[in-house]
Amino acid sequence: MVLDLRVLTRQAKDRLIEFSDRPLMMGVVNVTPDSFSDGGRYLEAEAAVAHAIQLVEEGADLLDIGAESTRPGADPVDEAEELRRAIPVVTAVARAVTVPISIDTSKASVAQAALDAGAVLVNDVTALRGDPAMVEVIARTGAGIVLMHMQGTPQTMQQAPSYEDVVGEIAVFFEDRIRFALAHGVARRQIVLDPGIGFGKLPIHNRTLLARLHRFSYFGCPLLIGVSRKAFLGQLVDRPVQERQWATAAAVAMAVERGAGILRVHDVRAMKDVMQVTVAISQETTVSMKAQHA
Ligand code: HH2
């Protein structure tokens, strides 16, 4: 499947993110809080910019910059603080690299400021259910929007996730969110879908979603998958977060093989190798099947 996502903003009026023969690698840039001093805050921003540049050198096709943690139980960050953390980093990264920048936020004001600073994609883990002003920002700017599924909120999502049919329920959720976005003036080509691995899901739900990912391809939107170092992988191999690269690699390979269009990862260099090998082998399967039927 060939997927096009045209992302139009005032800064990049003709930006085209093309999905052709391989998925795109999205490098994660977290601007983490610094509770010590403003000096520390400046260093934190500098470190985030250096990290972003390094990820691009490692082969990132996109960057996702986020200043509010969405980990289970994480405290919300207020708007002023999120703006203070994120915008200087987006501004500096946009000057330093040419790859498209995504802002990981569910606040319309942060999204707008990041788009003004050079971002072209908004990664909204609430899928336009959080800030009522977000859909208007996306419709007006023409920015890309990631609609991610989450059961509950980051504070509550891992308390008792429950589904009768996780794949079917998320497909219905996508239908509803796409309808909402289109009704408010967002174009389908702006939309990326994400089943939200680890967001209000038990390990069995995450495994099922990855196993049946191709179920979501009929929406015709790129699929974003974030498995990097997540807890359900740690549980399978009994390893702490810093030692989950191999487990992540296996999940990335499965997601690529099942049609993921964007892989959100921390270890860009290693996961790009995993992606390239998986794509090369998958393409051979298609070619040899075609040859057999010829
Ligand atoms: N996962 C995380 C954060 N944002 N966005 C999308 N669309 N999909 C994901 O799977 C996803 C996401 C969690 O990862 P991480 O960046 O490691 O954690 P934190 O949010 O605490 O920074």
Side-chain angles (χ1 to χ4, degrees):
M1 180 171 48
V2 177
L3 300 162
D4 282 344
L5 172 63
R6 274 163 224 277
V7 181
L8 308 172
T9 72
R10 264 182 290 158
Q11 288 69 37
K13 287 205 182 317
D14 56 356
R15 176 143 264 153
L16 172 67
I17 301 177
E18 278 190 63
F19 295 83
S20 49
D21 54 352
R22 68 166 180 87
L24 302 179
M25 304 305 291
M26 172 184 260
V28 178
V29 181
N30 283 325
V31 191
T32 49
D34 188 307
S35 52
F36 298 107
S37 69
D38 280 306
R41 195 186 297 284
Y42 174 70
L43 287 179
E44 206 64 59
E46 266 210 334
V49 175
H51 186 221
I53 293 169
Q54 187 200 328
L55 292 177
V56 173
E57 284 167 4
E58 289 183 14
D61 303 296
L62 304 161
L63 294 172
D64 189 35
I65 300 177
E68 178 176 40
S69 178
T70 47
R71 285 203 184 84
D75 286 331
V77 174
D78 75 33
E79 179 186 328
E81 176 63 12
E82 198 179 332
L83 284 165
R84 201 162 38 232
R85 285 185 201 167
I87 303 310
V89 174
V90 173
T91 307
V93 172
R95 286 196 193 116
V97 305
T98 55
V99 303
I101 296 169
S102 154
I103 177 76
D104 188 349
T105 188
S106 28
K107 296 187 186 72
S109 58
V110 176
Q112 181 65 66
L115 295 170
D116 289 339
V120 294
L121 182 64
V122 178
N123 177 15
D124 178 7
V125 298
T126 73
L128 303 174
R129 295 173 300 162
D131 186 335
M134 184 69 99
V135 70
E136 196 270 324
V137 170
I138 304 302
R140 181 169 38 76
T141 59
I145 176 74
V146 179
L147 299 177
M148 195 198 79
H149 176 269
M150 168 166 44
Q151 193 179 77
T153 65
Q155 291 75 45
T156 62
M157 65 188 182
Q158 290 310 111
Q159 281 165 13
S162 119
Y163 301 85
E164 280 189 13
D165 165 15
V166 69
V167 175
E169 286 169 48
I170 291 179
V172 169
F173 173 86
F174 285 155
E175 265 161 35
D176 171 71
R177 292 291 82 202
I178 291 170
R179 202 178 307 120
F180 175 84
L182 299 187
H184 288 81
V186 176
R188 189 175 272 267
R189 65 169 193 267
Q190 289 171 251
I191 297 175
V192 175
L193 300 175
D194 180 349
I197 299 296
F199 286 83
K201 278 123 195 150
L202 297 174
I204 179 73
H205 301 135
N206 295 315
R207 295 198 301 272
T208 304
L209 285 166
L210 286 170
R212 296 175 55 199
L213 199 59
H214 45 262
R215 167 79 167 76
F216 301 123
S217 47
Y218 77 90
F219 286 106
C221 299
L223 295 176
L224 188 154
I225 295 296
V227 286
S228 194
R229 303 176 181 169
K230 283 189 176 169
F232 82 105
L233 298 173
Q235 282 175 7
L236 284 172
V237 293
D238 192 20
R239 301 221 183 267
V241 70
Q242 310 84 342
E243 295 174 21
R244 295 179 189 160
Q245 203 187 47
W246 299 107
T248 300
V252 163
M254 300 295 270
V256 169
E257 203 266 333
R258 285 158 169 74
I262 304 177
L263 282 310
R264 183 182 184 278
V265 296
H266 300 90
D267 307 296
V268 168
R269 192 192 304 275
M271 295 313 139
K272 192 151 185 173
D273 285 0
V274 170
M275 180 272 286
Q276 281 170 332
V277 172
T278 311
V279 167
I281 296 171
S282 303
Q283 281 172 346
E284 255 0 285
T285 317
T286 321
V287 170
S288 56
M289 278 170 67
K290 274 188 193 148
Q292 276 174 17
H293 286 92

